[in-house]
Amino acid sequence: MDALSLYDLNALVRRSIEQCLPDEFWVQAELSDVRTNSTGHCYLEFVQKDPRSNNLIAKARGTIWANVFRLLKPYFEEATGQAFVSGIKVLVQVTVNFHELYGYSLTVQDIDPTYTLGDMARRRKEILKQLEEEGVLTLNKELEMPRLPQRIAVISSPTAAGYGDFCHQLQNNPRGFYFYTELFPALMQGDRVEESVLSALDKVNARLTEFDAVVIIRGGGATSDLSGFDTYLLAAACAQFPLPIITGIGHERDDTVLDSVAHTRVKTPTAAAEFLIDCMNDAADELELLATRLQESVRNLLSQEHRKLTAYRNRIPSAAYRRISDAKLALLTARRDIAQAVTSSLSRHRHRLELLQQRLTDASPEKQLARGYSITLKDGKVVRHSGEMKEGDKIVTRLYQGELLSIIQKE
């Protein structure tokens, strides 16, 4: 049996396609992964999805050469008001090509602008509208990002290059901030993206107090692989998740429903790491500013208190002199007042003593006897009552001058 080389087989396929499909065809499809290079050529993917499961059932590479694209793009956008981007449904006129090296592709010749939003964009719009009607669309965006988001739950594929880039960026931040990251593995492509990411979110939810934020990262890949992030269940779960969610699952030109409900949407996993580092930088800058202000305030306060202390020190000699002078004056005044008080008190007491002495002199027995009074004594004791006497008692009557001796007789 003669064997064909791969090139010969591919060349045979190319000739067969050229013979069987020589004409141009109008094809309905959805745009995905639209890119324009520096020469003006547009490279994209055409996709078709199952309307019930939203799974891809067909995909083909497409090319719009620069001479066609520079006319087709403004014509389409002006006619529809819709940018020529991924996620819109189009009706295009194509020729079928097969290249021995690059394989099967479609070359766009024309476009019908009556087709506008495609199934992918329409589904996103419907999901976002439903979430808005349920009042949960902006719940995650309304959460406050922690001032120091250092404990990060990462939902990603463990083998994704984007996950490694994210961790490397965090670990090698210029200011040496510490970040703790824990991976919750999930599928980032294929039909099980929704189920896998929801399962990872449930695991994070069971340990909410251990994390500050959730990062969902995917890295590169075709835009058509992002369909798993455009589901209602995943969007609703993320919109109502109690921790801020940061997404870096697509490219700069792609916006999934998950991006629309997340707290913060960034372009890439590296950009997600930069966002967290920027949060830390802002907090550190504010802390440094506060520290600087505190240092300045303390220096100003110390300077102010030093000036006060110097002023007080300079006032001490004069204040002490005034105090001593005042104390001397007070002492002299008090001494004078005391002397006056003592003199006055002594004078009062002397006068009182003189009065008492006069009263004592006036009340003395000699004074009374000199006035004609006498004193009767019995056995040397004063007789005050006649009942004290009995017949035969001897008594002595003392007069101012002399004494009389008498004997008591009963009548």
Side-chain angles (χ1 to χ4, degrees):
M1 178 184 294
D2 294 333
L4 293 174
S5 69
L6 178 60
Y7 179 84
D8 291 337
L9 178 60
N10 284 355
L12 179 60
V13 172
R14 178 176 60 82
R15 289 193 297 271
S16 299
I17 289 177
E18 290 174 351
Q19 292 173 3
C20 297
L21 302 172
D23 300 323
E24 296 173 341
F25 301 90
W26 285 96
V27 177
Q28 299 177 18
E30 186 174 301
L31 297 183
S32 178
D33 200 22
V34 178
R35 304 185 304 276
T36 305
N37 67 9
S38 59
T39 60
H41 301 313
C42 178
Y43 299 97
L44 65 157
E45 284 184 337
F46 294 109
V47 298
Q48 183 177 346
K49 299 177 182 177
D50 186 310
R52 289 173 295 180
S53 65
N54 203 39
N55 294 329
L56 289 178
I57 58 175
K59 180 166 66 172
R61 289 190 302 110
T63 304
I64 309 176
W65 300 118
N67 61 331
V68 176
F69 189 63
R70 64 172 171 262
L71 298 175
L72 183 147
K73 182 175 184 291
Y75 165 65
F76 174 81
E77 292 181 347
E78 183 178 355
T80 63
Q82 169 67 49
F84 191 81
V85 293
S86 301
I88 62 174
K89 188 175 181 180
V90 295
L91 179 62
V92 290
Q93 187 183 52
V94 300
T95 58
V96 181
N97 308 105
F98 189 89
H99 191 275
E100 288 83 356
L101 179 59
Y102 301 111
Y104 169 74
S105 67
L106 304 176
T107 301
V108 177
Q109 305 296 333
D110 199 0
I111 190 168
D112 184 350
T114 57
Y115 278 76
T116 52
L117 294 174
D119 291 338
M120 186 184 293
R122 187 179 301 111
R123 282 179 62 84
R124 291 174 184 169
K125 185 175 181 180
E126 291 172 353
I127 291 172
L128 293 176
K129 182 179 180 181
Q130 183 178 351
L131 293 174
E132 184 175 14
E133 290 173 350
E134 294 171 355
V136 301
L137 179 63
T138 62
L139 288 183
N140 198 260
K141 294 181 182 297
E142 294 169 6
L143 295 176
E144 184 176 355
M145 182 65 68
R147 293 292 293 151
L148 301 175
Q150 295 177 283
R151 303 174 301 165
I152 310 302
V154 184
I155 298 178
S156 180
S157 169
T159 58
Y163 172 62
D165 294 340
F166 173 80
C167 293
H168 180 269
Q169 188 79 4
L170 285 185
Q171 293 169 1
N172 295 277
N173 67 87
R175 298 173 76 169
F177 298 129
Y178 170 76
F179 289 94
Y180 169 77
T181 60
E182 183 172 341
L183 176 65
F184 292 81
L187 298 174
M188 294 288 109
Q189 299 183 54
D191 300 337
R192 296 182 57 200
V193 169
E194 178 188 65
E195 173 191 352
S196 182
V197 175
L198 285 174
S199 176
L201 284 172
D202 287 340
K203 293 176 182 177
V204 177
N205 191 56
R207 300 166 54 192
L208 281 178
T209 58
E210 300 178 30
F211 301 101
D212 301 316
V214 177
V215 173
I216 302 177
I217 50 178
R218 171 180 174 271
T223 304
S224 56
D225 291 332
L226 294 173
S227 58
F229 299 98
D230 285 324
T231 68
Y232 169 78
L233 290 179
L234 183 55
C238 290
Q240 300 175 80
F241 202 74
L243 291 178
I245 293 179
I246 303 166
T247 59
I249 60 177
H251 304 277
E252 183 175 2
R253 58 186 178 276
D254 305 320
D255 257 330
T256 65
V257 175
L258 184 57
D259 289 322
S260 299
V261 301
H263 182 281
T264 302
R265 185 263 188 193
V266 294
K267 303 172 186 178
T268 62
T270 301
E274 290 173 350
F275 172 80
L276 294 171
I277 295 171
D278 287 343
C279 289
M280 295 291 291
N281 277 328
D282 292 342
D285 291 342
E286 183 176 349
L287 184 60
E288 289 179 358
L289 178 60
L290 292 175
T292 300
R293 289 180 178 176
L294 179 61
Q295 291 175 353
E296 291 177 353
S297 298
V298 170
R299 282 197 296 266
N300 291 337
L301 182 60
L302 288 174
S303 178
Q304 180 180 352
E305 294 302 317
H306 183 266
R307 289 194 297 271
K308 287 183 180 180
L309 185 61
T310 301
Y312 291 151
R313 184 182 60 191
N314 293 337
R315 294 176 187 172
I316 287 175
S318 58
Y321 178 78
R322 286 196 302 272
R323 285 293 183 90
I324 293 172
S325 298
D326 293 343
K328 286 182 177 179
L329 179 61
L331 183 59
L332 291 174
T333 302
R335 183 184 298 172
R336 184 179 64 248
D337 293 342
I338 291 172
Q340 292 177 351
V342 169
T343 302
S344 176
S345 178
L346 289 175
S347 177
R348 288 195 303 272
H349 285 293
R350 185 182 297 110
H351 179 67
R352 183 180 178 187
L353 288 174
E354 289 175 351
L355 291 177
L356 291 175
Q357 184 178 4
Q358 184 62 42
R359 289 180 182 178
L360 288 174
T361 302
D362 292 343
S364 65
E366 289 78 7
K367 283 282 185 180
Q368 298 300 323
L369 292 175
R371 292 174 181 171
Y373 292 98
S374 62
I375 300 174
T376 302
L377 303 172
K378 176 186 175 183
D379 299 330
K381 296 181 179 178
V382 176
V383 178
R384 292 181 174 82
H385 191 272
S386 60
E388 298 176 2
M389 310 297 293
K390 62 181 183 289
E391 186 175 357
D393 287 341
K394 293 180 179 180
I395 59 174
V396 176
T397 301
R398 183 177 295 174
L399 303 176
Y400 177 67
Q401 291 182 347
E403 295 179 348
L404 296 177
L405 179 62
S406 302
I407 297 174
I408 301 300
Q409 291 181 352
K410 294 287 187 179
E411 293 181 0

